[in-house]
Amino acid sequence: MGWQHRTVACRDGDGLRTALHLRRRTHEIVEIELPGGRLAQLTNLEAGRLRAALREVLLDEHRPHRTGAA
């Protein structure tokens, strides 16, 4: 299995350019290197949940909001 690596450009809380580095470490682990060098390791299930959460946040932004809706 070849190592997969992706970089996602972003900005930090101060508006400075930075990046997230995503790597497939094993068949079961995805590693995310956060700004500052901290690492997060996600199982395939956790990575899928992160993907779904990002999708929901993006789609929710485009949904019309009703007054009083929870």
Side-chain angles (χ1 to χ4, degrees), residues 8-65:
V8 179
C10 60
R11 293 188 182 269
D12 66 12
D14 296 322
L16 301 174
R17 289 198 172 276
T18 189
L20 301 175
H21 299 278
L22 310 160
R23 298 176 191 92
R24 168 68 77 179
R25 285 297 181 198
T26 68
H27 290 289
E28 297 86 23
I29 299 293
V30 173
E31 184 176 86
I32 302 173
E33 182 180 340
L34 305 167
R38 301 232 16 200
L39 298 176
Q41 292 187 339
L42 285 72
T43 64
N44 290 332
L45 180 61
E46 292 166 335
R49 288 179 176 158
L50 174 60
R51 180 180 183 217
L54 288 168
R55 184 179 57 241
E56 287 176 15
V57 168
L58 291 169
L59 292 177
D60 191 51
E61 178 181 319
H62 298 290
R63 291 187 185 132
H65 294 285

